[in-house]
Amino acid sequence: MQVEPEKIPAMLLERIDCGVVYLDESGKVLFINNRAEQLLHVQRGQVLGRRVDMLPLRTPLYRVLSENSLDAPVEMSVEGTVVQIRSCRLPADCGKGELYQLRDITPERNERRQREEFVAMMTHDLKSPLTVIMGYIQALLGEKGKIDHSLHLFLGEMDKSSVKMLTMIDDVLDAYRLEAGLLQIDRHSCDIRPLLEGCSRDGEREAAVHGSSFQSELCDEIPPMELDSKQISRVFANLIGNAVKFTPRRGTITLSSEVRDGFLRVQVSDTGIGIPPEELPRIFNKYFRAQAARGFKGTGLGLTISKAIVEAHGGSIGVESTAGKGSRFSVLLPLHREKEAI
Ligand code: ADP
């Protein structure tokens, strides 16, 4: 049978393994293909010609099409199936509508989960022997005077490297916990000034080792806040660690804080390599590392985890940077629990 050429595109759209939905400028459904009907458990007769915002709220079609998937794909579970949604605005000569593409990514998702569970198990198992090794190193370090001086120095280096390794293992484990919704935040009343002073002392030591200087401009009078102090220290330690790592010798790292409009703002600035504008939007993505960071050690997980921790406290984290000049990371935390950062 000969098919009329003008009918071929529509026919192909009905056959492809990808759901396609087209809305006109007013949000009316003008097209939905076979696969989209299956994925969204809907029949075209029920929705064609209707505006999405007039559909019942809980229908999969409404949920899927109300997500903002313009900038980045969104994943959503629809009755046990994981659907990836991508959308794009069509130009005026195509009617200025919005085109949605839907893919069933359940198998990839399951495979990814299995892989992550394996990595989580491995990293967890690596932690136990490492903790034992660290315990013995600590015990030997305590024997100063009784052991040879150069041996003591070597032990100090082994101790530093094992602490770094433990931090990396913890980051990988936490990235998994984050994905699985298992990252725990334990908030309690906490005096944040001593916590910042501790971070400042550690930063000063780290900066000195790298040949840079460290400035601390901490404000007084921060009221007690409800925080998970261990996790929040980790955020600042990560920002300071990055600032030191990405700043060549003789640079300056500054830790500052201020209280304003019900929020505590902590900033970590550096005079380091900076981040180019095209890479800046991806800086908090899991495993993302800028081109210029390739020569430095790291996992690309620290900022992802830091962002999740800050947001779990109702706060926000942002960055301003100029390539070749330096970066400034700002953490905004509400002083009181009910206030949310913008
Ligand atoms: P890691 O430091 O382990 O690579 P992070 O998640 O902490 O991972 O940071 C992600 C990326 O963001 C880094 O690889 C680097 O490209 C960039 N970055 C973070 N902090 C800075 C900084 N202070 N200066 C320049 N680049 C930075």
Side-chain angles (χ1 to χ4, degrees):
M1 194 186 80
Q2 193 75 30
V3 183
E4 294 166 42
E6 62 274 15
K7 289 201 176 142
I8 291 179
M11 190 189 77
L12 295 181
L13 274 178
E14 292 300 349
R15 305 255 158 184
I16 57 169
D17 190 29
C18 167
V20 177
V21 182
Y22 173 61
L23 305 186
D24 72 3
E25 213 181 348
S26 67
K28 221 186 269 172
V29 183
L30 290 194
F31 178 82
I32 175 164
N33 73 347
N34 244 327
R35 188 73 182 113
E37 283 185 308
Q38 288 165 1
L39 288 172
L40 303 176
H41 303 273
V42 73
Q43 282 170 357
R44 61 190 73 186
Q46 303 165 324
V47 292
L48 277 180
R50 293 184 68 184
R51 270 181 36 196
V52 173
D53 55 358
M54 296 296 178
L55 295 172
L57 293 187
R58 269 199 274 274
T59 56
L61 184 78
Y62 177 88
R63 281 173 45 223
V64 161
L65 301 192
S66 338
E67 279 292 329
N68 175 11
S69 50
L70 272 174
D71 305 323
V74 173
E75 290 176 14
M76 189 184 277
S77 172
V78 178
E79 304 195 9
T81 304
V82 186
V83 179
Q84 186 192 59
I85 312 140
R86 276 173 197 273
S87 67
C88 63
R89 288 236 162 82
L90 297 183
D93 59 344
C94 296
K96 273 195 182 168
E98 205 162 329
L99 180 69
Y100 288 82
Q101 297 173 52
L102 317 174
R103 274 183 58 228
D104 175 2
I105 55 160
T106 319
E108 284 136 86
R109 194 62 194 278
N110 287 343
E111 205 180 295
R112 196 168 80 202
R113 171 140 300 166
Q114 277 170 7
R115 233 180 9 241
E116 281 176 349
E117 273 169 13
F118 172 75
V119 172
M121 193 183 73
M122 275 296 290
T123 38
H124 188 265
D125 288 352
L126 279 173
K127 247 179 112 161
S128 325
L130 181 61
T131 320
V132 175
I133 294 170
M134 288 171 80
Y136 282 114
I137 294 176
Q138 280 296 329
L140 287 169
L141 278 171
E143 301 288 304
K144 207 176 176 175
K146 286 197 209 153
I147 54 175
D148 188 64
H149 176 66
S150 53
L151 195 57
H152 199 266
L153 287 180
F154 294 156
L155 283 167
E157 291 307 311
M158 285 165 73
D159 187 47
K160 271 190 252 161
S161 293
S162 37
V163 169
K164 261 192 204 144
M165 196 156 153
L166 192 63
T167 311
M168 284 169 101
I169 292 179
D170 277 337
D171 279 356
V172 176
L173 265 176
D174 274 348
Y176 166 74
R177 291 189 187 117
L178 195 65
E179 191 80 11
L182 299 172
L183 189 70
Q184 275 206 331
I185 300 291
D186 221 350
R187 293 169 78 163
H188 47 264
S189 179
C190 146
D191 190 357
I192 197 167
R193 169 90 203 196
L195 182 152
L196 286 168
E197 283 166 353
C199 294
S200 188
R201 276 194 299 276
D202 293 344
E204 214 167 302
R205 258 196 307 271
E206 258 182 271
V209 171
H210 282 78
S212 291
S213 65
F214 190 92
Q215 287 175 1
S216 178
E217 296 168 5
L218 298 178
C219 62
D220 299 314
E221 310 288 317
I222 311 173
M225 295 170 70
E226 278 211 22
L227 303 169
D228 184 326
S229 51
K230 213 168 143 207
Q231 297 284 25
I232 286 290
S233 307
R234 207 170 144 199
V235 171
F236 299 140
N238 177 242
L239 296 181
I240 295 171
N242 278 348
V244 172
K245 178 166 71 173
F246 295 115
T247 299
R249 292 179 77 78
R250 281 191 275 281
T252 307
I253 289 93
T254 310
L255 174 71
S256 64
S257 70
E258 63 167 345
V259 169
R260 207 201 294 168
D261 302 332
F263 289 94
L264 169 72
R265 182 194 302 273
V266 178
Q267 294 190 312
V268 179
S269 322
D270 64 62
T271 55
I273 61 170
I275 306 156
E278 65 279 9
E279 295 191 298
L280 213 49
R282 285 146 73 205
I283 217 75
F284 293 98
N285 292 359
K286 203 167 156 189
Y287 301 119
F288 180 80
R289 309 195 70 225
Q291 284 285 338
R294 298 287 145 90
F296 300 84
K297 285 210 178 77
T299 55
L301 290 172
L303 286 182
T304 314
I305 295 166
S306 298
K307 184 168 187 277
I309 294 173
V310 171
E311 287 177 354
H313 284 83
S316 62
I317 181 165
V319 56
E320 297 155 80
S321 186
T322 310
K325 291 233 161 96
S327 312
R328 179 162 64 211
F329 284 82
S330 305
V331 173
L332 205 58
L333 289 169
L335 291 178
H336 305 291
R337 217 173 159 154
E338 58 285 0
K339 278 225 171 89
E340 292 289 305
I342 319 126

